[in-house]
Amino acid sequence: ATTLGSAAAAKSKYFGTAVAAYKLSDTVYAGILDREFTMVTPENEMKWDATEPSQNSFSYSSADTIVARAKANGQRVRGHALAWHSQQPGWASSLSGTALRSAMVNHVTAVATHYKGQIYAWDVVNEAFADGSTGARRDSNLQRTGNDWIEVAFKAARAADPAAKLCYNDYNTDGVNAKSTAVYNLVKDFQARGVPIDCVGFQSHVNSASPLPSDYQANLQRFADLGVEVQITELDIAGSGTAQADSYAKVVQACLAVSKCAGITVWGIRDSDSWRASDTPLLFDGNGNPKAAYTSVISAFGAT
Ligand code: G3I
């Protein structure tokens, strides 16, 4: 039978989902995960607070569970996220200066080394630019260690796992705007200076506050024209029925139109699994039944 993964694979794209380790004992959840997807992203299990709860002591068991299951299912893995201002363990969020900079490099190196050879793409740095019209960097403890923190993280990740694609990942970057242009300029700057970067992740959390922009495809294309892979990394679309289904189809059509769009990851399986469940933003309802949006994605890939 046709699945999200098989429909996407027929067009040389992957179709993935965020995965929560603590839900793997839910047979409905695990059944859909194993059947429908060809890529997985640990929703929280690879974040700094989860993997290094106290300085220089690492815990990988939850993420390892997700990675092992993916391997057994022939699914690839996106790593999320090596350096991020949010979800830092308390000990890191209270550091600054060179102590924080070396803690960040140590963290990136340790986690990327632990998963060496098992990661299709890492979100090396997540959400480093501010919202709004300035295109400025987000103020954070990491940014305050110096403007070069992003490239330092990318270089450390490349040194630890040369096989993994290294992505920059952000939200509110789905159209041509100040924030996405700041990301665009970062990519150009990295390429000009030989800083390793292979991909850009577009989270694509779509809602009434940030509807799918008409230049969504054009924005993806301008990054692809730089030579980086583009990945839709956290897709969820608030709404329901045909309006939601049509928006999902538009995202698929945009990814199909951009050859360097490697694939699409939805940020969860059932609406009840979503970080914003009340927006019913995903492809399966709370009972694990496929919604109109699911059918729309399948047909947008040209499958039935
Ligand atoms: O694990 C603890 C648990 O021990 C505790 O009992 C419980 C109640 O305090 O909290 C649990 O941690 C929660 C964690 O999800 C795991 O469920 C955190 O409070 C909660 O803040 C965290 O939310 C996650 C959020 O990122 C913040 O990291 C969401 O599940 C996750 O969907 C969301 O995903 C982010 C991406 O990583 C980056 N892009 C935006 C996206 C949506 O915010």
Side-chain angles (χ1 to χ4, degrees):
T2 303
T3 65
L4 295 164
S6 69
K11 302 289 186 181
S12 311
K13 312 283 184 183
Y14 64 73
F15 204 93
T17 184
V19 177
Y22 74 95
K23 293 181 181 171
L24 293 173
S25 54
D26 175 331
T27 51
V28 172
Y29 182 88
I32 298 169
L33 169 62
D34 296 351
R35 184 183 72 240
E36 293 287 338
F37 299 98
T38 49
M39 181 75 76
V40 302
T41 305
E43 186 171 7
N44 292 291
E45 294 78 358
M46 287 185 175
K47 292 173 179 174
W48 200 342
D49 60 346
T51 51
E52 192 180 2
S54 45
Q55 186 159 16
N56 222 18
S57 91
F58 294 89
S59 72
Y60 297 114
S61 53
S62 294
D64 286 351
T65 301
I66 293 171
V67 171
R69 188 191 192 92
K71 196 169 180 157
N73 281 329
Q75 296 161 324
R76 291 181 293 178
V77 180
R78 291 195 82 260
H80 174 79
L82 292 173
W84 187 25
H85 69 279
S86 180
Q87 297 308 112
Q88 293 179 7
W91 66 265
S93 56
S94 53
L95 289 182
S96 61
T98 52
L100 177 58
R101 175 60 66 90
S102 57
M104 178 196 82
V105 172
N106 185 60
H107 180 76
V108 171
T109 303
V111 177
T113 300
H114 180 80
Y115 291 108
K116 183 179 169 130
Q118 304 178 74
I119 301 295
Y120 170 74
W122 271 110
D123 291 330
V124 176
V125 168
N126 195 43
E127 304 176 9
F129 287 99
D131 289 312
S133 58
T134 64
R137 291 285 182 86
R138 173 192 298 275
D139 179 35
S140 72
N141 62 345
L142 293 171
Q143 177 62 32
R144 290 191 295 275
T145 66
N147 218 42
D148 62 341
W149 74 277
I150 301 177
E151 65 195 70
V152 166
F154 272 81
K155 286 174 181 170
R158 178 69 99 220
D161 186 357
K165 291 180 188 287
L166 305 183
C167 303
Y168 174 83
N169 192 52
D170 217 329
Y171 67 90
N172 285 352
T173 54
D174 297 324
V176 177
N177 59 42
K179 193 175 188 183
S180 63
T181 298
V183 177
Y184 182 85
N185 291 334
L186 178 85
V187 173
K188 281 179 70 174
D189 169 52
F190 277 18
Q191 291 176 325
R193 293 189 293 117
V195 177
I197 184 164
D198 306 302
C199 37
V200 174
F202 298 83
Q203 293 182 17
S204 297
H205 293 296
V206 179
N207 50 40
S208 49
S210 56
L212 198 71
S214 54
D215 57 0
Y216 185 73
Q217 178 181 321
N219 186 50
L220 296 178
Q221 188 61 57
R222 69 169 175 160
F223 282 85
D225 292 346
L226 290 178
V228 289
E229 188 171 289
V230 298
Q231 300 171 8
I232 313 302
T233 53
E234 305 183 11
L235 181 63
D236 49 27
I237 302 177
S240 60
T242 46
Q244 181 181 60
D246 291 349
S247 295
Y248 266 100
K250 284 197 177 77
V251 173
V252 172
Q253 285 150 10
C255 185
L256 287 173
V258 178
S259 55
K260 280 189 176 296
C261 178
I264 297 169
T265 294
V266 287
W267 204 241
I269 296 178
R270 303 164 297 193
D271 286 334
S272 48
D273 300 317
S274 173
W275 65 293
R276 54 184 180 124
S278 57
D279 289 339
T280 60
L282 296 172
L283 299 177
F284 297 86
D285 69 19
N287 299 317
N289 301 312
K291 297 160 52 180
Y294 173 94
T295 310
S296 173
V297 167
I298 295 286
S299 57
F301 276 114
T304 51

